[in-house]
C-alpha cells in the first residue's frame, strides 16, 4: 500500500468578513501520492483555490483554518510555526498561478527572481545560482535562455511567462507542485504545450502535482485522482476514469452532461438549473439540493457526509443510487 | 433553396501603426482582417474560431459597421451596407444585434434593467409608447428566464449569467433577424453556460434567428454551429460544414487546434495522438512570409515559405488555404 505524501482531512477554512463568515472551504478530504496528479475541479467560488492557499498557509488576514489537518511528511502543516512553514514553502511545496504577469515581480528580471528562490533555500552563491537559473529556463523550453534570463516579465509572452514561473517553482525540486489554473489565461495550442511540459517534468522529478482547474477536459487529460468541489465541500473523490465513466454525485453527473464536446454530435446540453449559491447564505442541508433534480425532503434539512460508497469512491449524497438509475435509463435510451 | 441572410465578400480591415512625436507617420499596418469571405444562411449559425488576436472580433465589429471596413463588401439581405452612412444604416441596425462577452461592461450600471431593455424599442420605434415598451419588456424577461419585477433593479444586483440574460433580452427586444454572439459564455461557469446556450437554440428554433458565433471554445462551436470558419492571423484558413470540419480537418492548423483541445473523457483523451505545436502565434504586424502558419506547421514544404496558399474550394462545402491539400 502506497503512503500518501500529503493528506488533507476535514479541512475547513473560513473568512471572517464584515458581512459575515464565508465558509470558503468547509469539509475537504484528499490524498496526494508521489508522482501522481490530483485534480481539484469545480466552478468559480467553490473553494478550490482557497484549498491550495490553505495548504501553503498563504491566506489573507481574514482567512483562518478553523478545523482539519494537512499532513505532509508526517507533519501537520496547520500546527507548525510560521518559521518552519517558510522552510517548506517554495522548497518542498511550490506553487504556480493562473496569471504569471501578476505573480512575477515586474521590476526584477526573470533571472533575479529565480536566483532569489535558489539562494533562499540552497547553499549556493549567486553565480552558481544564475547558472542554475539558465539551465532551468532551458529545461522549461525557453529559447535562448542566456538572453532571456536578463529580461523582465513584460518582455515575455503569456506562455513564456508561465514557463518562467514553472522554472522558478522547480528551482528547489519540490515534492509537490500546486498549479492553480495554470493554463486558463492561455490559448489552447499554448495550453497543450504547457500541460505537456508539466507532465514531462513530473516524470523527470517524480513530483506530485495538485492541479486546480474548472476545465473537465484538462482534468480528463492530466489527473490521476480527482476531487470535485461544490460550495466549499468535496462532493466526490475517486480516480479519473471512474469519475468520468461512473459519476455518482448528481452535481458531477450534471456537470459532465453540461459540457459541449468537440468529438461527438449532441442535440441538447443538460441544464443544471439555478446558479452557484452566495457563500454568505448557503442553503441548509445539502448545499446542492436547490439545483438537484434528485433532491428529497431529507436533503433540505440534513447535510450528507462524504462517504465511501464503493471501494475508493467517496460521495457526499444521500441518494447517489438515483444517479445510477438515471445512468441506466440513459444507456437504455441510447440503444 | 437556401436563403443567404448575410454575405461577406473579401472583407479587409487594416489598422495603421503610427510613430513619431509631433509628426505622426504611419510606419506599418496591422492587417486584423485580411480578405475574409463567408455566407450566413437564414436561421443558421456560422461560427468563427481562432486564438486570441486572430481577428474574429474585428470581423464582428466590421460587419456591424461599428468600424468601417478598409475594403470589401457586406451584403445584408442582398444590399451592400459596407459604404452606408448613419441614416442609411438605421433600418439595418434594427435587424442586427450583438451580445458581448462581458455583460458587466456592456450594461450601463446607472440604468435600471427596464430602461436598458426598453431603450432600443423606443429608439427603433418598435414600440409606440413607453408603456407599450415596458409591457413588452415584461414578457421578454419571462422569455429569457427572469421575472418581470427584475425590471426595476440595476445590473450590479445580478449574477454573471443573469446579466447575460438581460443582454440577450435587450438584443432581441427589437425583433432582429441576425445576432452576433461574441464569446457570450466565456466569462460564465459551465453549468450556467449550458443554460445560456440552450436559450440561444430555443430562440433560433422559434424566431429563425441567424447567428454569427465567435468563440475559442471548440466544443461549444461544434455544438451550436452549422458552418464554421477557422481563422489564423486575420485570414480564414478553413471553412465548411461544422461536423465535416471537426470529423476530418484538412488544414494543419485546424488539426492542431482540435488536437490541443482536451476532451472531457479520459478514455478518448489518453488514446488519441496529439499534435503539440511549436512556438506561439506570431505578431500580426510582422506576419511570416508565405503561409503565415509555416513556422509552426509540422508539414511545412519549401513553397510554404514563399507563397501564401490560395483559399480554394476543395469539395462541395469546403474551402481550405493550404498547399498540402489537393
Amino acid at each position: 500500500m502506497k503512503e500518501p505524501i500529503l493528506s488533507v482531512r476535514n479541512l475547513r477554512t473560513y473568512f471572517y468578513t464584515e458581512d459575515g463568515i464565508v465558509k470558503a472551504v468547509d469539509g475537504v478530504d484528499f490524498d496526494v501520492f508521489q508522482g501522481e496528479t490530483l485534480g481539484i475541479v469545480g466552478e468559480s467560488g467553490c473553494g478550490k483555490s482557497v484549498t491550495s492557499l490553505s495548504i501553503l498557509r498563504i491566506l489573507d488576514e481574514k482567512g483562518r483554518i478553523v478545523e482539519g489537518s494537512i499532513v505532509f511528511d508526517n507533519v501537520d502543516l496547520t500546527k507548525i510555526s510560521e518559521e518552519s512553514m517558510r522552510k517548506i514553502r517554495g522548497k518542498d511545496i511550490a506553487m504556480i498561478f493562473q496569471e504569471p504577469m501578476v505573480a512575477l515581480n515586474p521590476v526584477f528580471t526573470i533571472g533575479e527572481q529565480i536566483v532569489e528562490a535558489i539562494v533562499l533555500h540552497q547553499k549556493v552563491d549567486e553565480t552558481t545560482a544564475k547558472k542554475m537559473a539558465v539551465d532551468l529556463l532551458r529545461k522549461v523550453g525557453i529559447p535562448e535562455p542566456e538572453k532571456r534570463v536578463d529580461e523582465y516579465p513584460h518582455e515575455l509572452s503569456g506562455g513564456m511567462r508561465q514557463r518562467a514561473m514553472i522554472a522558478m517553482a522547480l528551482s528547489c525540486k519540490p515534492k509537490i507542485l500546486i498549479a492553480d489554473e495554470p493554463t486558463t489565461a492561455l490559448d489552447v495550442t499554448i495550453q497543450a504545450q504547457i500541460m505537456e511540459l508539466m507532465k514531462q517534468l513530473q516524470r523527470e522529478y517524480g513530483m506530485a502535482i495538485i492541479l486546480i482547474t474548472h476545465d473537465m477536459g484538462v482534468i480528463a487529460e492530466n489527473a490521476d485522482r480527482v476531487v470535485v468541489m461544490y460550495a466549499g465541500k468535496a462532493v466526490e473523490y475517486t480516480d479519473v476514469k471512474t469519475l468520468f465513466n461512473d459519476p455518482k454525485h448528481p452535481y458531477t453527473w450534471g456537470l459532465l452532461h453540461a459540457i459541449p464536446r468537440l468529438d461527438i454530435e449532441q442535440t441538447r446540453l443538460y441544464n443544471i438549473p439555478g446558479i452557484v449559491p452566495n457563500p454568505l447564505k448557503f442553503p441548509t442541508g445539502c448545499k446542492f439540493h436547490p439545483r438537484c433534480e434528485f433532491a428529497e425532503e431529507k436533503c433540505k434539512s440534513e447535510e450528507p457526509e462524504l462517504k465511501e460508497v464503493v471501494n475508493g469512491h467517496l460521495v457526499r449524497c444521500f441518494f447517489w443510487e438515483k444517479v445510477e438509475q438515471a445512468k441506466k435509463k440513459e444507456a437504455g435510451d441510447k440503444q | 433553396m437556401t436563403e443567404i441572410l448575410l454575405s461577406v465578400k473579401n472583407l479587409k480591415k487594416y489598422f495603421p501603426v503610427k510613430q513619431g512625436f509631433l509628426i505622426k507617420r504611419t510606419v506599418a499596418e496591422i492587417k486584423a482582417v485580411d480578405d475574409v469571405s463567408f455566407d450566413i444562411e437564414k436561421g443558421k449559425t456560422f461560427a468563427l474560431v481562432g486564438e486570441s488576436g486572430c481577428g474574429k472580433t474585428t470581423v464582428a465589429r466590421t460587419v456591424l459597421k461599428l468600424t468601417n471596413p478598409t475594403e470589401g463588401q457586406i451584403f445584408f439581405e442582398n444590399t451592400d451596407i459596407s459604404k452606408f452612412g448613419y441614416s442609411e444604416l438605421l433600418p439595418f441596425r434594427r435587424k442586427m444585434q450583438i451580445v458581448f462577452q462581458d455583460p458587466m461592461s456592456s450594461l450601463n450600471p446607472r440604468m435600471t434593467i427596464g430602461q436598458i431593455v426598453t431603450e432600443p424599442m423606443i429608439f427603433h420605434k418598435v414600440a409606440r409608447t413607453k408603456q407599450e415598451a415596458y409591457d413588452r419588456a415584461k414578457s421578454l424577461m419571462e422569455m429569457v428566464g427572469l421575472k418581470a419585477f427584475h425590471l426595476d433593479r440595476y445590473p450590479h444586483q445580478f449574477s454573471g449569467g443573469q446579466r447575460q440574460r438581460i443582454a440577450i433580452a435587450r438584443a432581441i427586444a427589437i425583433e432582429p433577424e441576425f445576432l452576433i454572439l461574441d464569446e457570450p459564455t466565456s466569462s460564465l461557469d459551465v453549468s450556467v453556460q449550458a443554460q445560456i446556450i440552450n436559450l440561444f437554440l430555443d430562440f433560433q428554433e422559434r424566431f429563425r434567428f441567424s447567428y454569427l458565433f465567435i468563440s475559442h471554445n471548440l466544443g461549444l462551436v461544434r455544438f451550436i454551429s452549422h458552418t464554421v470558419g477557422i481563422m489564423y492571423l486575420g485570414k480564414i484558413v478553413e471553412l465548411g460544414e461544422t461536423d465535416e470540419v471537426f470529423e476530418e480537418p484538412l488544414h494543419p492548423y485546424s488539426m492542431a487546434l482540435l488536437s490541443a483541445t482536451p476532451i472531457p473523457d479520459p478514455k478518448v483523451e489518453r488514446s488519441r495522438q496529439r499534435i503539440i505545436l511549436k512556438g506561439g502565434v506570431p505578431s500580426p504586424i510582422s506576419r511570416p512570409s508565405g503561409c503565415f502558419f509555416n513556422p509552426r506547421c509540422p508539414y511545412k514544404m519549401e513553397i510554404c515559405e514563399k507563397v501564401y496558399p490560395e483559399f480554394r474550394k476543395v469539395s462541395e462545402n469546403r474551402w481550405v488555404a493550404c498547399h498540402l491539400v489537393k
Side-chain angles (χ1 to χ4, degrees):
Chain A
M1 186 65 197
K2 266 202 293 185
E3 279 291 309
I5 56 168
L6 184 83
S7 257
V8 174
R9 288 290 173 271
N10 195 27
L11 181 69
R12 287 170 207 268
T13 304
Y14 296 175
F15 287 84
Y16 295 84
T17 69
E18 281 161 25
D19 301 321
I21 299 171
V22 175
K23 298 180 175 177
V25 177
D26 197 20
V28 173
D29 295 75
F30 57 81
D31 290 325
V32 183
F33 295 90
Q34 192 194 348
E36 274 194 13
T37 299
L38 174 92
I40 303 181
V41 67
E43 296 180 287
S44 48
C46 72
K48 51 192 193 300
S49 285
V50 176
T51 303
S52 66
L53 299 179
S54 303
I55 295 172
L56 281 177
R57 287 194 13 207
I58 44 176
L59 300 155
D60 71 31
E61 69 239 25
K62 291 195 178 85
R64 221 172 301 151
I65 300 173
V66 294
E67 222 187 296
S69 62
I70 302 164
V71 178
F72 170 74
D73 249 0
N74 300 318
V75 181
D76 186 348
L77 299 185
T78 62
K79 302 250 158 42
I80 62 174
S81 68
E82 177 58 30
E83 202 185 330
S84 334
M85 192 65 218
R86 217 178 288 142
K87 287 194 182 121
I88 291 172
R89 239 181 251 141
K91 183 161 190 307
D92 293 322
I93 308 177
M95 184 159 179
I96 56 173
F97 297 89
Q98 176 175 347
E99 206 4 283
M101 198 57 213
V102 182
L104 291 167
N105 192 331
V107 298
F108 290 102
T109 63
I110 300 293
E112 282 164 348
Q113 298 184 54
I114 301 177
V115 165
E116 188 192 357
I118 297 174
V119 173
L120 194 67
H121 290 294
Q122 297 174 35
K123 289 193 185 74
V124 290
D125 59 71
E126 291 214 3
T127 334
T128 327
K130 181 136 189 208
K131 274 196 199 109
M132 289 165 76
V134 173
D135 287 341
L136 281 163
L137 291 178
R138 185 175 298 117
K139 188 157 248 165
V140 296
I142 293 184
E144 301 176 81
E146 295 85 2
K147 204 177 119 212
R148 294 294 188 168
V149 77
D150 293 321
E151 285 185 6
Y152 289 90
H154 75 267
E155 296 176 89
L156 299 160
S157 70
M160 285 301 152
R161 259 179 238 147
Q162 198 56 284
R163 283 174 195 268
M165 276 291 298
I166 294 173
M168 197 185 302
L170 290 180
S171 62
C172 295
K173 299 198 172 66
K175 297 192 178 100
I176 301 174
L177 177 69
I178 303 176
D180 188 358
E181 304 262 8
T183 56
T184 306
L186 306 173
D187 278 321
V188 277
T189 57
I190 309 297
Q191 165 172 300
Q193 293 172 356
I194 296 289
M195 292 317 303
E196 189 59 34
L197 172 72
M198 282 177 53
K199 264 192 261 184
Q200 177 205 325
L201 293 167
Q202 180 176 32
R203 276 193 296 269
E204 198 180 321
Y205 287 77
M207 64 187 171
I209 294 180
I210 300 178
L211 177 65
I212 294 164
T213 177
H214 67 277
D215 188 334
M216 278 290 189
V218 171
I219 289 287
E221 186 194 331
N222 300 290
D224 297 299
R225 251 166 244 270
V226 188
V227 185
V228 181
M229 284 187 72
Y230 185 79
K233 292 177 189 292
V235 295
E236 189 158 1
Y237 172 55
T238 184
D239 66 277
V240 69
K241 285 209 178 94
T242 314
L243 187 85
F244 283 86
N245 295 334
D246 191 15
K248 293 199 188 299
H249 195 282
Y251 176 63
T252 319
W253 182 77
L255 206 56
L256 288 172
H257 283 73
I259 305 169
R261 287 176 55 163
L262 65 88
D263 58 332
I264 44 173
E265 281 181 53
Q266 291 156 294
T267 48
R268 201 82 189 151
L269 294 177
Y270 178 76
N271 248 348
I272 301 178
I275 54 166
V276 178
N278 178 343
L280 281 168
K281 36 187 181 204
F282 277 144
T284 55
C286 171
K287 304 284 172 274
F288 187 59
H289 87 258
R291 306 178 72 190
C292 181
E293 69 168 274
F294 307 106
E296 290 189 16
E297 274 309 307
K298 190 182 180 186
C299 309
K300 292 182 191 163
S301 52
E302 280 177 60
E303 168 100 56
E305 298 273 306
L306 187 65
K307 271 202 319 230
E308 185 161 12
V309 295
V310 194
N311 203 5
H313 194 155
L314 279 66
V315 181
R316 190 190 290 275
C317 179
F318 294 122
F319 302 107
W320 59 272
E321 273 129 334
K322 285 194 183 179
V323 179
E324 301 291 289
Q325 284 158 18
K327 277 186 286 194
K328 275 191 194 122
K329 186 172 172 290
E330 193 181 54
D333 287 348
K334 268 185 194 159
Q335 283 164 7
Chain B
M1 187 49 203
T2 54
E3 204 184 324
I4 304 290
L5 182 79
L6 180 89
S7 181
V8 170
K9 299 245 181 284
N10 308 101
L11 189 70
K12 290 180 185 173
K13 177 70 196 178
Y14 298 169
F15 294 103
V17 181
K18 292 199 167 137
Q19 240 173 41
F21 175 50
L22 288 173
I23 309 154
K24 287 214 187 318
R25 286 177 309 146
T26 304
V27 291
E29 267 174 335
I30 293 179
K31 298 181 174 174
V33 177
D34 193 10
D35 206 0
V36 162
S37 307
F38 58 86
D39 294 335
I40 302 179
E41 284 176 36
K42 183 126 190 67
K44 294 286 167 67
T45 303
F46 172 70
L48 273 179
V49 199
E51 295 179 281
S52 44
C54 73
K56 50 195 194 299
T57 296
T58 310
V59 170
R61 293 175 53 88
T62 319
V63 166
L64 280 181
K65 293 266 292 168
L66 295 175
T67 162
N68 284 321
T70 310
E71 233 175 82
Q73 286 112 37
I74 303 157
F75 292 95
F76 191 85
E77 291 178 325
N78 299 317
T79 314
D80 182 5
I81 60 165
S82 60
K83 308 246 162 20
F84 277 10
Y86 176 80
S87 54
E88 290 167 301
L89 266 177
L90 262 187
F92 291 95
R93 286 258 155 91
R94 194 187 72 69
K95 296 176 183 171
M96 311 156 100
Q97 285 292 309
I98 182 162
V99 177
F100 295 97
Q101 173 175 354
D102 179 7
M104 197 61 221
S105 53
S106 64
L107 301 175
N108 188 333
R110 302 211 276 180
M111 284 164 83
T112 64
I113 306 310
Q115 290 168 322
I116 289 171
V117 177
T118 54
E119 190 184 34
M121 290 192 258
I122 293 161
F123 179 81
H124 284 291
K125 303 190 178 66
V126 179
R128 271 156 295 167
T129 60
K130 274 196 171 170
Q131 190 53 47
E132 191 191 330
Y134 199 79
D135 290 340
R136 283 178 49 117
K138 280 184 194 163
S139 63
L140 280 164
M141 295 304 274
E142 303 281 343
M143 276 167 66
V144 297
L146 295 169
K147 298 281 187 304
F149 66 79
H150 284 141
L151 286 173
D152 300 324
R153 296 196 180 167
Y154 287 89
H156 73 265
Q157 293 171 290
F158 294 90
S159 69
Q162 287 174 318
R163 274 184 222 139
Q164 204 56 297
R165 288 176 196 266
I166 294 162
I168 294 166
R170 173 180 61 184
I172 65 172
I174 52 169
E175 297 165 352
E177 290 167 36
F178 172 59
L179 278 166
I180 293 184
L181 312 174
D182 189 357
E183 305 255 16
T185 60
S186 45
S187 62
L188 305 177
D189 276 320
V190 184
S191 67
V192 180
Q193 164 173 288
Q195 298 167 3
I196 299 289
I197 293 296
N198 283 338
L199 203 59
F200 286 134
L201 290 184
D202 286 341
F203 288 151
Q204 188 162 55
E205 226 164 75
R206 273 170 76 181
F207 307 112
R208 270 192 101 208
F209 284 157
S210 306
Y211 296 135
L212 170 58
F213 187 79
I214 292 169
S215 183
H216 64 270
N217 182 335
L218 289 152
L220 258 185
V221 165
R222 165 117 206 212
F223 178 69
I224 201 171
S225 70
H226 301 93
T227 48
V228 63
I230 293 174
M231 282 188 83
Y232 190 73
L233 283 174
K235 283 180 179 288
I236 293 184
V237 295
E238 182 158 5
L239 184 94
E241 304 268 337
T242 304
D243 286 336
E244 284 178 29
V245 173
F246 277 62
E247 295 292 339
E248 199 200 345
L250 296 175
H251 196 283
Y253 180 64
S254 318
M255 292 179 203
L257 209 55
L258 284 166
S259 159
T261 308
I263 294 169
D265 185 339
K267 254 192 299 185
V268 181
E269 186 55 52
R270 288 168 200 215
S271 59
R272 66 183 182 143
Q273 200 64 38
R274 301 197 73 177
I275 307 167
I276 307 276
L277 287 181
K278 285 171 286 178
V281 182
S283 154
I285 303 179
S286 52
R287 297 187 294 190
S289 62
C291 172
F292 307 149
F293 187 59
N294 88 65
R296 303 176 78 193
C297 184
Y299 309 106
K300 189 174 99 174
M301 302 180 294
E302 213 172 288
I303 185 169
C304 304
E305 286 178 29
K306 293 179 188 124
V307 190
Y308 190 88
E310 186 197 353
F311 191 56
R312 288 183 309 125
K313 189 169 184 168
V314 291
S315 63
E316 185 47 32
N317 290 312
R318 188 80 78 92
W319 285 260
V320 182
C322 179
H323 292 300
L324 268 178
V325 182
K326 289 285 167 279

